[in-house]
Amino acid sequence: MKNILAPSILSADFKVLGDQICRTEQSGARYIHFDVMDGIFVPSISFGMPVLSSIKGLTEQVLDVHLMVTEPVRYVEEFAKCGADIITVHLEACEDLSATIDAIHRCGAKAGVSVKPKTPVEELAPYLDQAEMFLVMSVEPGFGGQEFIPESLERIRSLRSMLDERGLEKDIEVDGGIYHSNVAEVLRAGANVIVSGSGVYKGNIEDNTQRFMEILKSYE
C-alpha cells in the first residue's frame, strides 16, 4: 500500500496559496488536504467552495476535502462540482451516514469517514465496506497546531486490525500534530495517508515535503 502525504492548506500562506501548493507537488506530495469548518460542528470557520474552485486545475494533486460541518450531505454535490476527489465526513456529524456516503459516490468522488479522538473506532465497523478511506483525528478537530494525542496510535492499530480481519485494503488517514519527529510511529501503527499542515508549510516547504516523503517511502 502506498504511503501518501497530504499537506493541509490550513497552515499555508493564502497570499501565495497557489505557489505554495505547487511547491508541495513538485516535492512529491500527491494530495492536498482541504479542511472545511462551519463554526457549528467545530468552533472555527475556515473556507469553502470558492477556494476549492480557485485551486481546481492548478495542480494534478488529489483534492482531499475534509468536511467538519453539520449534516455534510447538504454540501456534497457542490464540493464535488468544485473539484473534490475525496470527500470525508464525520460519523458524528451525519444523521444518516450510509446515505451520505452513497451521495458522495453518486457525485463520482471517493468517500472518507472520520472520527473524533473520543469516538471509539469500533463505531466505524458498519461502514468499513462502504467507504474508501477512514480518517482518525489525532487532535480535536477545529484548530491547527495542536499536539498529537498519543492514544491515537492504538486507535490506528485497532482500525487497521478491523480492516485486516475483513480482508479490506483501505486507506487510513491521520490528521493532527504530525511532524517529521513522529510520523514513523504513525506509519508503523497502520496509517498510510498522512496529513500535516505546520509540518509542511512552516519553514522551507520543499525541504519539509521532501523529508516527509523520504520517511514515507522508507515504510512502504
Side-chain angles (χ1 to χ4, degrees):
M1 182 173 284
K2 286 285 185 182
N3 291 331
I4 295 164
L5 179 64
S8 171
I9 65 168
L10 197 62
S11 298
D13 182 349
F14 273 64
K15 294 190 301 293
V16 287
L17 178 61
D19 173 68
Q20 291 198 343
I21 287 174
C22 290
R23 288 164 67 186
T24 68
E25 181 178 28
Q26 291 160 6
S27 300
R30 292 174 55 195
Y31 284 16
I32 284 295
H33 193 74
F34 193 89
D35 287 306
V36 180
M37 307 179 193
D38 66 354
I40 300 171
F41 180 68
V42 294
S44 298
I45 296 173
S46 59
F47 37 72
M49 291 166 278
V51 176
L52 184 61
S53 293
S54 73
I55 64 175
K56 181 182 179 181
L58 173 71
T59 172
E60 293 185 4
Q61 289 165 299
V62 171
L63 299 181
D64 173 27
V65 175
H66 178 194
L67 298 183
M68 288 173 272
V69 305
T70 300
E71 281 304 322
V73 69
R74 297 175 294 156
Y75 303 108
V76 162
E77 186 175 355
E78 284 301 312
F79 273 102
K81 287 179 180 177
C82 290
D85 297 299
I86 303 170
I87 299 176
T88 295
V89 299
H90 271 264
L91 178 149
E92 305 92 346
C94 299
E95 183 175 343
D96 188 336
L97 180 54
S98 289
T100 304
I101 294 171
D102 288 343
I104 294 170
H105 288 154
R106 283 196 301 273
C107 292
K110 291 183 178 179
V113 179
S114 182
V115 286
K116 293 181 177 182
K118 293 179 182 177
T119 301
V121 293
E122 288 75 17
E123 292 191 19
L124 293 169
Y127 312 100
L128 295 182
D129 291 297
Q130 248 189 305
E132 285 77 33
M133 185 171 76
F134 298 92
L135 169 54
V136 175
M137 291 299 301
S138 46
V139 298
E140 287 295 335
F143 301 98
Q146 298 179 66
E147 290 189 10
F148 183 88
I149 298 172
E151 291 78 10
S152 304
L153 295 173
E154 185 54 40
R155 289 161 54 76
I156 298 164
R157 282 191 283 267
S158 296
L159 178 55
R160 181 57 73 191
S161 293
M162 290 164 57
L163 290 165
D164 288 345
E165 286 171 7
R166 295 199 191 182
L168 298 171
E169 191 171 294
K170 302 289 182 88
D171 290 327
I172 295 179
E173 184 171 51
V174 182
D175 182 0
I178 302 179
Y179 296 88
H180 302 129
S181 59
N182 63 353
V183 65
E185 56 186 343
V186 175
L187 294 166
R188 286 196 295 266
N192 71 298
V193 182
I194 303 298
V195 177
S196 182
S198 301
V200 171
Y201 287 109
K202 302 305 180 186
N204 187 297
I205 292 172
E206 287 85 359
D207 288 350
N208 290 339
T209 303
Q210 289 167 12
R211 189 173 171 198
F212 264 120
M213 294 306 302
E214 289 170 4
I215 300 170
L216 266 61
K217 287 177 180 177
S218 72
Y219 281 87
E220 288 182 347

